[in-house]
Amino acid sequence: MAHTNRIALVTGANKGIGFEIARQLAEAGATVLLGARDADRGRQAAEDLTAEGLSVSSVAIDLNDEASIAAAAKHIEAEHGRLDILVNNAGIVDAEDGPPSGASTAAVRRLMETNFIGTLAVTQSMLPLLRRSEAGRIVNLATTLGSLAINGDPSSPYYSARLIGYNASKAALNMLTVQLAAELKDTRIAVNSVCPGYVKTDLTGNNGFMTPAEGARLPVQYALMEDSTVTGRFVEPDGVTPW
């Protein structure tokens, strides 16, 4: 990227993969805005990284509160004038989610509102700032469970993971990646869905095969990627994932 000091926003960055993405981007020389729904937790996480000598600050942003999203965009514009990297990491699971026959529709609504509509709202608000970048990057944190092909493949180890709300919200997020990448194909902004792998976090109940630091590596790689023609992809650590 031409900008030597990249400005990055990572949503849901006060813990887990988001926190490690923020750390690794800052270690690579970026100025990182650590987005958090809880302002106090965001400030504490930013202070922890600042104590390591990293250029990190916090910004309050709640995917279910468009006023907070708009305020975050205004803050970034006032402080930095542009945005080079947007990592849409924030997302939720819901205990009332489950198979299509029995999942709570309220839970499905919550999941879609946060994981898809909230991410769309953040992206729309940040796009004017990303357009000012010499090489904008949008990384949408994806999951293998968002693949329609894999959900329909009885041979897949993920075939039995029937969470209609969560899986559908992440499939919708992939649609955002596909359509936005096509819309921005003649710009310097690249958009990709990146699955970090099965990571031990609160969201997975601390199950998984990877640490948050390991899970952060692939999203960071795509956030820092030089080639803007690498766009509209759905990737995980083993390679490209079928939509």
Side-chain angles (χ1 to χ4, degrees), residues 145 151 157-164 167:
L145 298 180
N151 272 268
Y158 301 100
Y159 180 70
S160 61
R162 296 190 179 92
L163 299 167
I164 186 61
N167 293 15

Side-chain angles (χ1 to χ4, degrees), residues 53-71:
L54 300 175
S55 181
V56 176
S57 62
S58 64
V59 59
I61 185 166
D62 182 345
L63 271 62
N64 298 124
D65 181 354
E66 294 203 15
S68 84
I69 296 170

Side-chain angles (χ1 to χ4, degrees), residues 90-108:
I92 62 168
V93 293
D94 198 298
E96 296 180 15
D97 194 13
S101 60
S104 159
T105 55
V108 174

Side-chain angles (χ1 to χ4, degrees), residues 22-71:
R23 184 205 300 276
Q24 291 179 26
L25 286 173
E27 287 175 342
T31 294
V32 180
L33 295 156
L34 191 155
R37 179 176 56 184
D38 185 305
D40 289 336
R41 291 180 180 177
R43 280 192 292 269
Q44 183 58 62
E47 287 173 7
D48 291 343
L49 292 179
T50 300
E52 297 178 17
L54 300 175
S55 181
V56 176
S57 62
S58 64
V59 59
I61 185 166
D62 182 345
L63 271 62
N64 298 124
D65 181 354
E66 294 203 15
S68 84
I69 296 170

Side-chain angles (χ1 to χ4, degrees), residues 42-243:
R43 280 192 292 269
Q44 183 58 62
E47 287 173 7
D48 291 343
L49 292 179
T50 300
E52 297 178 17
L54 300 175
S55 181
V56 176
S57 62
S58 64
V59 59
I61 185 166
D62 182 345
L63 271 62
N64 298 124
D65 181 354
E66 294 203 15
S68 84
I69 296 170
K74 287 182 180 179
H75 171 77
I76 296 168
E77 181 175 27
E79 292 293 318
H80 304 285
R82 72 174 197 278
L83 187 65
D84 299 301
I85 296 166
L86 170 62
V87 180
N88 285 313
N89 167 74
I92 62 168
V93 293
D94 198 298
E96 296 180 15
D97 194 13
S101 60
S104 159
T105 55
V108 174
R109 190 171 290 110
R110 288 190 293 267
L111 287 156
M112 292 298 293
E113 286 282 353
T114 301
N115 295 351
F116 172 56
I117 297 173
T119 299
L120 174 62
V122 170
T123 304
Q124 289 179 338
S125 288
M126 300 302 161
L127 263 177
L129 295 170
L130 286 158
R131 289 182 185 276
R132 297 178 189 175
S133 174
E134 295 179 15
R137 300 290 177 261
I138 300 173
V139 176
N140 293 325
L141 264 287
T143 171
T144 307
L145 298 180
S147 165
L148 291 177
I150 288 173
N151 272 268
D153 180 2
S155 68
S156 168
Y158 301 100
Y159 180 70
S160 61
R162 296 190 179 92
L163 299 167
I164 186 61
Y166 183 74
N167 293 15
S169 72
K170 289 298 189 174
L173 184 66
N174 282 343
M175 182 62 76
L176 171 60
T177 295
V178 168
Q179 292 206 359
L180 189 59
E183 185 179 355
L184 299 175
K185 64 182 176 63
D186 295 324
T187 74
R188 295 168 295 187
I189 302 173
V191 188
N192 291 286
S193 283
V194 179
C195 172
Y198 192 23
V199 181
K200 298 175 184 177
T201 65
D202 290 349
L203 189 140
T204 64
N206 289 311
N207 295 309
F209 310 121
M210 305 167 72
T211 66
E214 291 168 336
R217 289 174 188 164
L218 192 62
V220 168
Q221 176 186 327
Y222 273 76
L224 298 175
M225 180 178 57
E226 296 288 343
D227 188 355
S228 61
T229 67
V230 179
T231 189
R233 294 187 179 182
F234 181 14
V235 298
E236 57 186 336
D238 291 336
V240 176
T241 300
W243 297 106

